[in-house]
Amino acid sequence: MSEPNVSTARIFLALLRRDITVARRELVFFLIRTTIQPLLFVVIFGFLLPKMGIVGRNYTTLMLPGIVAISLAMSGMMAVMLPMIVDFGQTKEIEDRLLAPIPNQVVAIEKIVNGTIQGIIAAIFVLPVARLIMGPINALTLTNVGPLLVVAILGGAAFAAMGLLLGTAFPPQQVGMMLSVIVAPMMMFGCAYYPWRGLDAIPAMKWAVLVNPLVYVAEGMRAAITPATPHMPLLAIASALLLINVIFIFLGLKTFMKRAVS
Amino acid sequence: MQENAIETRALRKVYKAPPQKRGRRAPSPARTGGAPILHGKDVVALDALDLTVPQGEFFGLLGPNGAGKTTTIGILTTRVIATAGEASVAGVSVQREPSRVRSRIGVVPQRPNADRSLTVVENLVFHASYFGVPRDVATKRADELLEKFSLTEKRDAKVEALSGGQQQRLMIARALSHDPRVLFLDEPTVGLDPQARLALWDILRDLHRQGRTIIMTTHYMEEADQLCERLAIIDQGKLLALDTPAKLKAQAPGETVIEVTFDAPVDGIVPAVQAIDGVSKAEARGAMLRVFSERRGETIPLLIAAGEERGLAVKDIHLDRPSLETLFISLTGRKLS
């Protein structure tokens, strides 16, 4: 009947280890599920249409960072959202972790960290595949390690936290609705398929899309991997992502705790 | 120092009715532990519960669905926050130090909720790791537990490959994987076939013999009678009786409960029935007449006759000998299940 003095950090790592063990086992399935949609977009808009001459060749330069951003964001979000919906809605499997001798919030934070890691893995997978399909991209550079890390971590975490919020705030039967009403428009109006500066032509839209977190991830990817193309200043991007993180983590923890204890 | 395993003082839980916003649902029975007691729109699941359970006891919470058993377990296992009152487990306050309480308890849920992304042995090893048990120690203990619960051949199987009884045994093994002081089981034998239920009883008796404190909820009278050293009978969030099964049975009315179901409502029959010799109590519930009588052999024909006088035909007759069940009926006017 021992009660060892166990640190929260050690239990956090045990939780993370569980999620990574499971993710590694389902890696192929996970990558197919989360990256098939952006990659199909790449085939159409980054390969077929340019070949047909319908879209200019340099469109791929604008699109590649957006595709990487979408993969990062959506994978990070789904990696948290889907288990939350299933665990709290049906199987209650997460209850064995809610019994761990740490504050329940730590379980939620671990999910966000795991989502961030999975988002980054999806982005690392998509980038070379998309580049292969699209062909050479002049402005592409992978040497901006600092900005790339900032955008990947802050962007991944923002969407993982959003997954926590969406996965715990809605009952399972409203998930389909939520995906169509919130997630689909976010992907389309997230400046992933076109640069934010391109919206100069439609000023109302240019300001309206700023509420969309994906805009900052997509623009951030432009700033990081195609810095020669027009993009938002990196400082603005990082500040916006930081603020989004604070908001979503705060709200996500609140809705998570509502489900965790009654 | 010998502290109590469980102490609760005036424990109360009210599930607030949520404001009727669109898209918001009232708390489902699953969330309230099935408690149906409505005060306005709020649900009083637990009302002023006082319990003291010494270390090492096999303690049972007996009551029908919705009595407040699951809410009580929920509060003691830190998953439900009490509206008022105090509760401590293994000497630690559940309100002030929930994490420390969690480090001292093992919980077997009402429905098996094993981690289905992991294998059987991983379920035990990972669960122990959430409590800081080093991996080698956890693996060794996991193999011992699998052996003990006859799950060794399923060691590396997926959880889906287990039968209901095996899953329930895995849940108990998991709850023991970090060697807790107090073991909570919420309706552990619901949905098990009789053989698996008896096997589980043996496991629980064994754990108790080893000195572990066990708190179990059940709505099976026989289970409570067989296993528990002391029983709390609760209904509608209130403690009705608390004693050893033997003493509780002695409190049961010394009479047989006779239930006669007629083909139509039996209103108005009660005064006539109460006048029958040997009948101490009679009550009408729709088409069912319930009578507490010392002389069942002589009473039954008179009950049938009383019905026939009013043009009622008998559809069913049921007898219950003095037992925890009849005690429960006399305390609450309702059956356990």
Side-chain angles (χ1 to χ4, degrees), chain B residues 257-272:
Chain B
V257 179
I258 307 168
E259 288 176 354
V260 186
T261 307
F262 293 96
D263 59 351
V266 291
D267 310 317
I269 202 172
V270 171

Side-chain angles (χ1 to χ4, degrees), chain B residues 45-71:
Chain B
L46 208 56
D47 199 2
L49 185 72
D50 292 319
L51 283 181
T52 303
V53 179
Q55 258 184 44
E57 187 165 73
F58 199 139
F59 187 83
L61 286 162
L62 180 69
N65 289 324
K69 305 186 301 284
T70 298
T71 299

Side-chain angles (χ1 to χ4, degrees), chain A residues 38-205:
Chain A
L39 286 177
L40 288 175
F41 253 89
V42 169
V43 173
I44 305 290
F45 293 94
F47 178 71
L48 288 180
L49 295 192
K51 273 264 189 261
M52 295 174 192
I54 296 170
V55 168
R57 281 225 69 92
N58 59 357
Y59 175 58
T60 53
T61 313
L62 300 175
M63 190 185 170
L64 180 68
I67 291 293
V68 175
I70 280 202
S71 303
L72 173 78
M74 290 302 132
S75 304
M77 186 168 92
M78 292 299 171
V80 182
M81 192 174 89
L82 295 180
M84 286 296 120
I85 291 167
V86 175
D87 277 16
F88 278 122
Q90 296 170 310
T91 64
K92 313 284 178 199
E93 283 175 47
I94 200 168
E95 287 184 357
D96 75 320
R97 279 148 272 167
L98 296 177
L99 287 169
I102 42 166
N104 287 158
Q105 286 91 340
V106 177
V107 177
I109 296 290
E110 181 276 329
K111 284 283 169 198
I112 295 176
V113 171
N114 175 59
T116 309
I117 294 171
Q118 293 202 30
I120 291 173
I121 288 171
I124 290 172
F125 171 75
V126 158
L127 178 60
V129 178
R131 159 66 185 74
L132 263 175
I133 298 170
M134 287 171 167
I137 288 160
N138 296 329
L140 181 65
T141 166
L142 297 177
T143 52
N144 283 333
V145 177
L148 192 53
L149 275 177
V150 167
V151 174
I153 292 171
L154 287 181
F159 275 82
M162 191 170 170
L164 181 74
L165 175 64
L166 295 180
T168 51
F170 294 90
Q173 57 269 36
Q174 285 173 21
V175 168
M177 183 76 168
M178 172 190 75
L179 288 175
S180 331
V181 173
I182 299 176
V183 179
M186 195 171 65
M187 285 173 70
M188 291 304 154
F189 297 112
C191 294
Y193 306 116
Y194 42 84
W196 185 62
R197 287 294 298 277
L199 292 177
D200 282 349
I202 314 130
M205 186 104 176

Side-chain angles (χ1 to χ4, degrees), chain A residues 1 3 10-11 14 17-18 25 91-93 95-103 258 260-262, chain B residues 13 31 79-81 99 102-104 113-116 122 126-127 129-132 135 174 179 181:
Chain A
M1 316 259 168
E3 189 189 347
R10 183 160 161 194
I11 294 170
R17 186 173 177 159
R18 181 260 170 211
R25 235 166 250 176
T91 64
K92 313 284 178 199
E93 283 175 47
E95 287 184 357
D96 75 320
R97 279 148 272 167
L98 296 177
L99 287 169
I102 42 166
K258 264 195 173 163
V261 290
S262 51
Chain B
K13 175 64 182 178
R31 283 195 68 144
R79 296 296 316 285
V80 174
I81 294 171
S99 295
R102 287 196 283 270
S103 73
R104 298 178 175 197
N113 61 359
D115 194 334
R116 288 184 298 177
E122 282 172 341
F126 272 103
H127 190 73
S129 77
Y130 307 151
F131 291 80
R135 216 171 167 72
R174 187 180 75 181
D179 197 18
R181 302 186 193 188

Side-chain angles (χ1 to χ4, degrees), chain B residues 12-21 24-29 32 35-45:
Chain B
R12 181 177 167 82
K13 175 64 182 178
V14 180
Y15 290 97
K16 284 269 173 225
Q20 284 302 312
K21 270 193 272 180
R24 288 283 176 93
R25 297 163 309 154
S28 66
T32 62
I37 318 109
L38 296 170
H39 283 192
K41 277 176 186 165
D42 295 347
V43 178
V44 181

Side-chain angles (χ1 to χ4, degrees), chain B residues 198-270:
Chain B
L198 291 178
L200 203 62
W201 286 7
D202 283 339
I203 288 171
L204 296 179
R205 283 198 191 97
D206 204 36
L207 288 172
H208 176 235
R209 262 197 298 273
Q210 291 161 16
R212 193 116 25 195
T213 309
I214 301 180
I215 315 291
M216 181 181 79
T217 75
T218 183
H219 65 267
Y220 296 121
M221 174 195 64
E222 191 198 352
E223 188 163 279
D225 192 5
Q226 289 273 325
L227 294 175
C228 300
E229 291 175 286
R230 281 197 313 149
L231 273 178
I233 297 184
I234 58 175
D235 188 43
Q236 313 215 355
K238 288 198 166 85
L239 182 66
L240 301 180
L242 174 78
D243 219 320
T244 63
K247 285 193 181 146
L248 285 173
K249 275 188 282 189
Q251 282 176 36
E255 306 136 325
T256 301
V257 179
I258 307 168
E259 288 176 354
V260 186
T261 307
F262 293 96
D263 59 351
V266 291
D267 310 317
I269 202 172
V270 171

Side-chain angles (χ1 to χ4, degrees), chain B residues 64-142:
Chain B
N65 289 324
K69 305 186 301 284
T70 298
T71 299
T72 307
I73 295 275
I75 292 170
L76 296 175
T77 59
T78 75
R79 296 296 316 285
V80 174
I81 294 171
T83 311
E86 298 258 332
S88 68
V89 176
V92 182
S93 160
V94 297
Q95 286 97 336
R96 284 186 291 277
E97 296 184 275
S99 295
R100 256 183 89 207
V101 168
R102 287 196 283 270
S103 73
R104 298 178 175 197
I105 62 172
V107 182
V108 179
Q110 207 168 89
R111 261 172 296 168
N113 61 359
D115 194 334
R116 288 184 298 177
S117 309
L118 302 174
T119 65
V120 168
V121 67
E122 282 172 341
N123 260 279
L124 302 183
V125 174
F126 272 103
H127 190 73
S129 77
Y130 307 151
F131 291 80
V133 179
R135 216 171 167 72
D136 50 340
V137 178
T139 308
K140 191 168 161 277
R141 194 179 290 163

